Amino acid sequence: MVTGQRGRPRSFDRDAALDKAMTAFWERGYEATSISDLTASIGISAPSLYAAFGDKRKLFDEVVAVYASRYGDFAGVALAEEPTARAAVERILREAAEVYTDPAHPPGCMVISAAINTTSEEVARALRMRRHAGLELFERRIRADVATGALPPDTDARALARYTGAVLQGMSQQSRDGATREELEAVAERALLAWP
């Protein structure tokens, strides 16, 4: 009697799977990315996806963390490295123009675009909290510059931080609508004119 031998199971590359899931969520958003979209892009079955990542929401949370460390951290780095809030924002806007239009991945910011049209209040809240944390970083840095005299004492730190966030969100959407790096760099230059 001849017994059949089973083939060796393929090894599962978690990092590669997260990259593929990130691309799917980045292109379509949270809501429009189905489990079948994810299994097709990752190349695994639904039971394997659930075994590896839990559910769609848990996978998305993990993808957002990977996205933030790989693509979204440029703002925090600039705020930490540049000597003034204005210099940091100038760098952030220029780097956003580059990152948002890089042809190596979908356009825009995943944290902004993935939240569009989601019916999941949990997902919307989590992404909103990430965006608010960014605004708080901007505001703290602006307030610090007001305190040291790098910015005028009457500078409205909250409004300037929100303005910066609105420009970044607009640049993300513009890139999804086809704006080029050069066009977004021109937006960045205009936006800096609003700084005191």
Side-chain angles (χ1 to χ4, degrees), residues 2-40:
V2 178
T3 59
Q5 287 187 326
R6 286 191 147 172
R8 206 170 145 211
R10 289 188 315 172
S11 62
F12 177 71
D13 184 340
R14 187 177 189 83
D15 290 337
L18 286 168
D19 282 345
K20 291 174 182 172
M22 180 170 46
T23 299
F25 283 125
W26 201 341
E27 286 173 344
R28 299 178 189 96
Y30 177 79
E31 196 71 27
T33 304
S34 68
I35 293 296
S36 62
D37 291 332
L38 292 167
T39 58

mmCIF file of all heavy atoms in Angstrom, residues 2-40:
data_model
loop_
_atom_site.group_PDB
_atom_site.id
_atom_site.type_symbol
_atom_site.label_atom_id
_atom_site.label_comp_id
_atom_site.label_asym_id
_atom_site.label_seq_id
_atom_site.Cartn_x
_atom_site.Cartn_y
_atom_site.Cartn_z
ATOM 1 N N VAL A 2 0.593 2.107 -0.921
ATOM 2 C CA VAL A 2 1.378 3.339 -1.036
ATOM 3 C C VAL A 2 0.617 4.451 -0.344
ATOM 4 O O VAL A 2 -0.566 4.652 -0.595
ATOM 5 C CB VAL A 2 1.595 3.688 -2.524
ATOM 6 C CG1 VAL A 2 2.370 4.985 -2.634
ATOM 7 C CG2 VAL A 2 2.308 2.573 -3.234
ATOM 8 N N THR A 3 1.294 5.146 0.516
ATOM 9 C CA THR A 3 0.645 6.270 1.203
ATOM 10 C C THR A 3 1.072 7.564 0.536
ATOM 11 O O THR A 3 2.214 7.713 0.102
ATOM 12 C CB THR A 3 1.041 6.324 2.701
ATOM 13 O OG1 THR A 3 2.450 6.467 2.786
ATOM 14 C CG2 THR A 3 0.567 5.085 3.417
ATOM 15 N N GLY A 4 0.143 8.453 0.436
ATOM 16 C CA GLY A 4 0.433 9.763 -0.171
ATOM 17 C C GLY A 4 1.209 10.631 0.804
ATOM 18 O O GLY A 4 0.982 10.580 1.999
ATOM 19 N N GLN A 5 2.138 11.346 0.288
ATOM 20 C CA GLN A 5 2.867 12.278 1.130
ATOM 21 C C GLN A 5 2.308 13.678 0.920
ATOM 22 O O GLN A 5 2.023 14.059 -0.196
ATOM 23 C CB GLN A 5 4.350 12.271 0.758
ATOM 24 C CG GLN A 5 5.064 11.044 1.210
ATOM 25 C CD GLN A 5 6.554 11.225 0.943
ATOM 26 O OE1 GLN A 5 6.959 11.853 -0.022
ATOM 27 N NE2 GLN A 5 7.347 10.667 1.825
ATOM 28 N N ARG A 6 2.177 14.344 1.992
ATOM 29 C CA ARG A 6 1.716 15.723 1.916
ATOM 30 C C ARG A 6 2.896 16.634 1.638
ATOM 31 O O ARG A 6 3.994 16.409 2.133
ATOM 32 C CB ARG A 6 1.082 16.156 3.237
ATOM 33 C CG ARG A 6 -0.265 15.552 3.451
ATOM 34 C CD ARG A 6 -0.887 16.258 4.608
ATOM 35 N NE ARG A 6 -2.301 16.308 4.366
ATOM 36 C CZ ARG A 6 -3.163 16.717 5.235
ATOM 37 N NH1 ARG A 6 -2.771 17.152 6.394
ATOM 38 N NH2 ARG A 6 -4.442 16.731 4.960
ATOM 39 N N GLY A 7 2.634 17.623 0.852
ATOM 40 C CA GLY A 7 3.676 18.610 0.596
ATOM 41 C C GLY A 7 3.936 19.436 1.830
ATOM 42 O O GLY A 7 3.082 19.561 2.713
ATOM 43 N N ARG A 8 5.109 19.979 1.903
ATOM 44 C CA ARG A 8 5.458 20.828 3.024
ATOM 45 C C ARG A 8 4.641 22.119 2.956
ATOM 46 O O ARG A 8 4.518 22.712 1.885
ATOM 47 C CB ARG A 8 6.936 21.172 2.903
ATOM 48 C CG ARG A 8 7.559 21.483 4.211
ATOM 49 C CD ARG A 8 9.055 21.568 4.038
ATOM 50 N NE ARG A 8 9.471 22.606 4.958
ATOM 51 C CZ ARG A 8 10.484 23.392 4.789
ATOM 52 N NH1 ARG A 8 11.220 23.286 3.723
ATOM 53 N NH2 ARG A 8 10.791 24.289 5.679
ATOM 54 N N PRO A 9 4.050 22.547 4.066
ATOM 55 C CA PRO A 9 3.254 23.778 4.014
ATOM 56 C C PRO A 9 4.139 24.975 3.679
ATOM 57 O O PRO A 9 5.275 25.058 4.120
ATOM 58 C CB PRO A 9 2.659 23.906 5.424
ATOM 59 C CG PRO A 9 3.412 22.977 6.291
ATOM 60 C CD PRO A 9 4.079 21.966 5.397
ATOM 61 N N ARG A 10 3.569 25.870 2.887
ATOM 62 C CA ARG A 10 4.292 27.095 2.558
ATOM 63 C C ARG A 10 4.501 27.907 3.822
ATOM 64 O O ARG A 10 3.652 27.933 4.704
ATOM 65 C CB ARG A 10 3.479 27.943 1.580
ATOM 66 C CG ARG A 10 3.398 27.382 0.215
ATOM 67 C CD ARG A 10 2.755 28.353 -0.738
ATOM 68 N NE ARG A 10 1.572 28.971 -0.168
ATOM 69 C CZ ARG A 10 0.900 29.957 -0.721
ATOM 70 N NH1 ARG A 10 1.290 30.455 -1.857
ATOM 71 N NH2 ARG A 10 -0.167 30.465 -0.160
ATOM 72 N N SER A 11 5.655 28.527 3.890
ATOM 73 C CA SER A 11 5.876 29.378 5.055
ATOM 74 C C SER A 11 5.073 30.664 4.866
ATOM 75 O O SER A 11 4.871 31.119 3.749
ATOM 76 C CB SER A 11 7.363 29.681 5.222
ATOM 77 O OG SER A 11 7.836 30.389 4.109
ATOM 78 N N PHE A 12 4.640 31.207 5.962
ATOM 79 C CA PHE A 12 3.810 32.402 5.929
ATOM 80 C C PHE A 12 4.689 33.599 6.269
ATOM 81 O O PHE A 12 5.297 33.658 7.334
ATOM 82 C CB PHE A 12 2.665 32.258 6.939
ATOM 83 C CG PHE A 12 1.784 33.466 7.030
ATOM 84 C CD1 PHE A 12 0.929 33.807 5.999
ATOM 85 C CD2 PHE A 12 1.810 34.276 8.153
ATOM 86 C CE1 PHE A 12 0.119 34.918 6.067
ATOM 87 C CE2 PHE A 12 1.000 35.393 8.241
ATOM 88 C CZ PHE A 12 0.156 35.709 7.196
ATOM 89 N N ASP A 13 4.779 34.539 5.389
ATOM 90 C CA ASP A 13 5.565 35.748 5.597
ATOM 91 C C ASP A 13 4.615 36.848 6.074
ATOM 92 O O ASP A 13 3.937 37.497 5.274
ATOM 93 C CB ASP A 13 6.273 36.128 4.297
ATOM 94 C CG ASP A 13 7.204 37.327 4.472
ATOM 95 O OD1 ASP A 13 7.053 38.098 5.451
ATOM 96 O OD2 ASP A 13 8.085 37.494 3.612
ATOM 97 N N ARG A 14 4.590 37.052 7.378
ATOM 98 C CA ARG A 14 3.657 38.007 7.986
ATOM 99 C C ARG A 14 3.896 39.433 7.477
ATOM 100 O O ARG A 14 2.960 40.166 7.190
ATOM 101 C CB ARG A 14 3.772 37.940 9.511
ATOM 102 C CG ARG A 14 2.739 38.763 10.229
ATOM 103 C CD ARG A 14 2.871 38.585 11.739
ATOM 104 N NE ARG A 14 1.761 39.212 12.397
ATOM 105 C CZ ARG A 14 0.570 38.679 12.582
ATOM 106 N NH1 ARG A 14 0.319 37.464 12.162
ATOM 107 N NH2 ARG A 14 -0.395 39.338 13.183
ATOM 108 N N ASP A 15 5.160 39.813 7.367
ATOM 109 C CA ASP A 15 5.468 41.176 6.903
ATOM 110 C C ASP A 15 4.974 41.397 5.479
ATOM 111 O O ASP A 15 4.407 42.451 5.165
ATOM 112 C CB ASP A 15 6.970 41.458 6.994
ATOM 113 C CG ASP A 15 7.460 41.574 8.433
ATOM 114 O OD1 ASP A 15 6.630 41.870 9.328
ATOM 115 O OD2 ASP A 15 8.663 41.371 8.664
ATOM 116 N N ALA A 16 5.187 40.411 4.619
ATOM 117 C CA ALA A 16 4.716 40.528 3.227
ATOM 118 C C ALA A 16 3.190 40.592 3.196
ATOM 119 O O ALA A 16 2.606 41.349 2.417
ATOM 120 C CB ALA A 16 5.223 39.368 2.384
ATOM 121 N N ALA A 17 2.541 39.793 4.052
ATOM 122 C CA ALA A 17 1.078 39.802 4.119
ATOM 123 C C ALA A 17 0.569 41.164 4.579
ATOM 124 O O ALA A 17 -0.408 41.688 4.033
ATOM 125 C CB ALA A 17 0.593 38.697 5.055
ATOM 126 N N LEU A 18 1.231 41.749 5.565
ATOM 127 C CA LEU A 18 0.827 43.080 6.043
ATOM 128 C C LEU A 18 1.021 44.127 4.957
ATOM 129 O O LEU A 18 0.192 45.021 4.799
ATOM 130 C CB LEU A 18 1.608 43.456 7.305
ATOM 131 C CG LEU A 18 1.185 42.731 8.578
ATOM 132 C CD1 LEU A 18 2.203 42.952 9.692
ATOM 133 C CD2 LEU A 18 -0.204 43.171 9.022
ATOM 134 N N ASP A 19 2.105 44.015 4.186
ATOM 135 C CA ASP A 19 2.320 44.951 3.074
ATOM 136 C C ASP A 19 1.187 44.867 2.061
ATOM 137 O O ASP A 19 0.682 45.886 1.591
ATOM 138 C CB ASP A 19 3.644 44.643 2.362
ATOM 139 C CG ASP A 19 4.853 45.151 3.117
ATOM 140 O OD1 ASP A 19 4.686 45.977 4.035
ATOM 141 O OD2 ASP A 19 5.974 44.721 2.778
ATOM 142 N N LYS A 20 0.780 43.654 1.727
ATOM 143 C CA LYS A 20 -0.286 43.471 0.738
ATOM 144 C C LYS A 20 -1.632 43.961 1.281
ATOM 145 O O LYS A 20 -2.406 44.582 0.563
ATOM 146 C CB LYS A 20 -0.353 42.012 0.314
ATOM 147 C CG LYS A 20 0.857 41.604 -0.507
ATOM 148 C CD LYS A 20 0.866 40.120 -0.807
ATOM 149 C CE LYS A 20 2.128 39.759 -1.585
ATOM 150 N NZ LYS A 20 2.287 38.329 -1.752
ATOM 151 N N ALA A 21 -1.892 43.678 2.555
ATOM 152 C CA ALA A 21 -3.131 44.160 3.174
ATOM 153 C C ALA A 21 -3.121 45.686 3.251
ATOM 154 O O ALA A 21 -4.152 46.332 3.020
ATOM 155 C CB ALA A 21 -3.296 43.551 4.567
ATOM 156 N N MET A 22 -1.958 46.273 3.545
ATOM 157 C CA MET A 22 -1.855 47.729 3.614
ATOM 158 C C MET A 22 -2.194 48.338 2.259
ATOM 159 O O MET A 22 -2.949 49.313 2.188
ATOM 160 C CB MET A 22 -0.444 48.142 4.042
ATOM 161 C CG MET A 22 -0.255 49.637 4.127
ATOM 162 S SD MET A 22 1.293 50.172 4.911
ATOM 163 C CE MET A 22 2.506 49.147 4.140
ATOM 164 N N THR A 23 -1.670 47.769 1.199
ATOM 165 C CA THR A 23 -1.974 48.287 -0.136
ATOM 166 C C THR A 23 -3.468 48.215 -0.418
ATOM 167 O O THR A 23 -4.055 49.164 -0.939
ATOM 168 C CB THR A 23 -1.177 47.515 -1.207
ATOM 169 O OG1 THR A 23 0.219 47.706 -0.949
ATOM 170 C CG2 THR A 23 -1.514 47.995 -2.604
ATOM 171 N N ALA A 24 -4.096 47.102 -0.045
ATOM 172 C CA ALA A 24 -5.538 46.951 -0.281
ATOM 173 C C ALA A 24 -6.335 48.007 0.485
ATOM 174 O O ALA A 24 -7.212 48.668 -0.078
ATOM 175 C CB ALA A 24 -5.990 45.543 0.117
ATOM 176 N N PHE A 25 -6.038 48.180 1.770
ATOM 177 C CA PHE A 25 -6.749 49.190 2.571
ATOM 178 C C PHE A 25 -6.447 50.603 2.068
ATOM 179 O O PHE A 25 -7.327 51.461 2.052
ATOM 180 C CB PHE A 25 -6.361 49.081 4.042
ATOM 181 C CG PHE A 25 -7.006 47.933 4.779
ATOM 182 C CD1 PHE A 25 -6.227 47.002 5.453
ATOM 183 C CD2 PHE A 25 -8.379 47.793 4.829
ATOM 184 C CE1 PHE A 25 -6.808 45.953 6.158
ATOM 185 C CE2 PHE A 25 -8.983 46.750 5.530
ATOM 186 C CZ PHE A 25 -8.186 45.829 6.197
ATOM 187 N N TRP A 26 -5.228 50.842 1.677
ATOM 188 C CA TRP A 26 -4.811 52.169 1.211
ATOM 189 C C TRP A 26 -5.526 52.519 -0.087
ATOM 190 O O TRP A 26 -5.975 53.637 -0.277
ATOM 191 C CB TRP A 26 -3.308 52.152 1.002
ATOM 192 C CG TRP A 26 -2.587 53.461 0.989
ATOM 193 C CD1 TRP A 26 -3.102 54.704 0.786
ATOM 194 C CD2 TRP A 26 -1.180 53.634 1.179
ATOM 195 N NE1 TRP A 26 -2.096 55.637 0.824
ATOM 196 C CE2 TRP A 26 -0.910 55.014 1.066
ATOM 197 C CE3 TRP A 26 -0.121 52.772 1.413
ATOM 198 C CZ2 TRP A 26 0.386 55.533 1.196
ATOM 199 C CZ3 TRP A 26 1.150 53.291 1.537
ATOM 200 C CH2 TRP A 26 1.398 54.652 1.436
ATOM 201 N N GLU A 27 -5.647 51.558 -0.974
ATOM 202 C CA GLU A 27 -6.318 51.803 -2.256
ATOM 203 C C GLU A 27 -7.826 51.981 -2.100
ATOM 204 O O GLU A 27 -8.424 52.862 -2.708
ATOM 205 C CB GLU A 27 -6.082 50.636 -3.214
ATOM 206 C CG GLU A 27 -4.693 50.583 -3.784
ATOM 207 C CD GLU A 27 -4.452 49.324 -4.604
ATOM 208 O OE1 GLU A 27 -5.226 48.347 -4.499
ATOM 209 O OE2 GLU A 27 -3.458 49.327 -5.352
ATOM 210 N N ARG A 28 -8.450 51.129 -1.293
ATOM 211 C CA ARG A 28 -9.912 51.078 -1.246
ATOM 212 C C ARG A 28 -10.531 51.715 -0.010
ATOM 213 O O ARG A 28 -11.721 51.996 -0.006
ATOM 214 C CB ARG A 28 -10.375 49.621 -1.298
ATOM 215 C CG ARG A 28 -9.976 48.891 -2.555
ATOM 216 C CD ARG A 28 -10.439 47.433 -2.496
ATOM 217 N NE ARG A 28 -9.884 46.673 -3.589
ATOM 218 C CZ ARG A 28 -8.784 45.935 -3.516
ATOM 219 N NH1 ARG A 28 -8.122 45.852 -2.391
ATOM 220 N NH2 ARG A 28 -8.345 45.283 -4.556
ATOM 221 N N GLY A 29 -9.767 51.865 1.058
ATOM 222 C CA GLY A 29 -10.321 52.304 2.324
ATOM 223 C C GLY A 29 -10.747 51.105 3.159
ATOM 224 O O GLY A 29 -10.774 49.971 2.674
ATOM 225 N N TYR A 30 -11.081 51.347 4.404
ATOM 226 C CA TYR A 30 -11.443 50.251 5.303
ATOM 227 C C TYR A 30 -12.728 49.560 4.858
ATOM 228 O O TYR A 30 -12.786 48.349 4.703
ATOM 229 C CB TYR A 30 -11.590 50.763 6.742
ATOM 230 C CG TYR A 30 -12.040 49.663 7.682
ATOM 231 C CD1 TYR A 30 -11.130 48.739 8.141
ATOM 232 C CD2 TYR A 30 -13.375 49.539 8.073
ATOM 233 C CE1 TYR A 30 -11.527 47.706 8.983
ATOM 234 C CE2 TYR A 30 -13.778 48.523 8.903
ATOM 235 C CZ TYR A 30 -12.850 47.606 9.356
ATOM 236 O OH TYR A 30 -13.255 46.580 10.172
ATOM 237 N N GLU A 31 -13.750 50.359 4.652
ATOM 238 C CA GLU A 31 -15.084 49.804 4.385
ATOM 239 C C GLU A 31 -15.131 48.998 3.089
ATOM 240 O O GLU A 31 -15.698 47.909 3.050
ATOM 241 C CB GLU A 31 -16.103 50.948 4.309
ATOM 242 C CG GLU A 31 -17.529 50.514 4.411
ATOM 243 C CD GLU A 31 -17.893 50.053 5.804
ATOM 244 O OE1 GLU A 31 -17.276 50.491 6.781
ATOM 245 O OE2 GLU A 31 -18.818 49.231 5.904
ATOM 246 N N ALA A 32 -14.543 49.530 2.046
ATOM 247 C CA ALA A 32 -14.651 48.907 0.724
ATOM 248 C C ALA A 32 -13.722 47.710 0.541
ATOM 249 O O ALA A 32 -13.840 46.987 -0.444
ATOM 250 C CB ALA A 32 -14.368 49.938 -0.361
ATOM 251 N N THR A 33 -12.807 47.480 1.474
ATOM 252 C CA THR A 33 -11.906 46.337 1.382
ATOM 253 C C THR A 33 -12.566 45.150 2.081
ATOM 254 O O THR A 33 -12.734 45.154 3.290
ATOM 255 C CB THR A 33 -10.544 46.650 2.029
ATOM 256 O OG1 THR A 33 -10.009 47.820 1.408
ATOM 257 C CG2 THR A 33 -9.579 45.498 1.858
ATOM 258 N N SER A 34 -12.936 44.156 1.293
ATOM 259 C CA SER A 34 -13.619 42.983 1.842
ATOM 260 C C SER A 34 -12.613 41.916 2.266
ATOM 261 O O SER A 34 -11.434 41.969 1.901
ATOM 262 C CB SER A 34 -14.559 42.388 0.790
ATOM 263 O OG SER A 34 -13.789 41.842 -0.278
ATOM 264 N N ILE A 35 -13.102 40.951 3.005
ATOM 265 C CA ILE A 35 -12.261 39.806 3.375
ATOM 266 C C ILE A 35 -11.774 39.105 2.115
ATOM 267 O O ILE A 35 -10.603 38.711 2.033
ATOM 268 C CB ILE A 35 -13.023 38.826 4.300
ATOM 269 C CG1 ILE A 35 -13.292 39.481 5.660
ATOM 270 C CG2 ILE A 35 -12.266 37.523 4.473
ATOM 271 C CD1 ILE A 35 -12.056 39.812 6.463
ATOM 272 N N SER A 36 -12.628 38.967 1.105
ATOM 273 C CA SER A 36 -12.187 38.307 -0.125
ATOM 274 C C SER A 36 -11.124 39.135 -0.844
ATOM 275 O O SER A 36 -10.201 38.571 -1.438
ATOM 276 C CB SER A 36 -13.364 37.985 -1.042
ATOM 277 O OG SER A 36 -14.021 39.150 -1.444
ATOM 278 N N ASP A 37 -11.212 40.478 -0.780
ATOM 279 C CA ASP A 37 -10.146 41.320 -1.332
ATOM 280 C C ASP A 37 -8.828 41.042 -0.606
ATOM 281 O O ASP A 37 -7.770 40.939 -1.225
ATOM 282 C CB ASP A 37 -10.467 42.807 -1.170
ATOM 283 C CG ASP A 37 -11.620 43.289 -2.020
ATOM 284 O OD1 ASP A 37 -11.870 42.702 -3.093
ATOM 285 O OD2 ASP A 37 -12.284 44.261 -1.598
ATOM 286 N N LEU A 38 -8.913 40.950 0.706
ATOM 287 C CA LEU A 38 -7.710 40.728 1.510
ATOM 288 C C LEU A 38 -7.109 39.357 1.260
ATOM 289 O O LEU A 38 -5.896 39.229 1.082
ATOM 290 C CB LEU A 38 -8.030 40.914 3.001
ATOM 291 C CG LEU A 38 -8.371 42.347 3.409
ATOM 292 C CD1 LEU A 38 -8.986 42.382 4.797
ATOM 293 C CD2 LEU A 38 -7.123 43.228 3.349
ATOM 294 N N THR A 39 -7.956 38.325 1.224
ATOM 295 C CA THR A 39 -7.417 36.971 0.996
ATOM 296 C C THR A 39 -6.814 36.862 -0.397
ATOM 297 O O THR A 39 -5.771 36.229 -0.575
ATOM 298 C CB THR A 39 -8.487 35.884 1.210
ATOM 299 O OG1 THR A 39 -9.591 36.124 0.337
ATOM 300 C CG2 THR A 39 -8.957 35.848 2.659
ATOM 301 N N ALA A 40 -7.432 37.514 -1.377
ATOM 302 C CA ALA A 40 -6.891 37.480 -2.744
ATOM 303 C C ALA A 40 -5.557 38.214 -2.817
ATOM 304 O O ALA A 40 -4.611 37.729 -3.446
ATOM 305 C CB ALA A 40 -7.885 38.091 -3.730
#
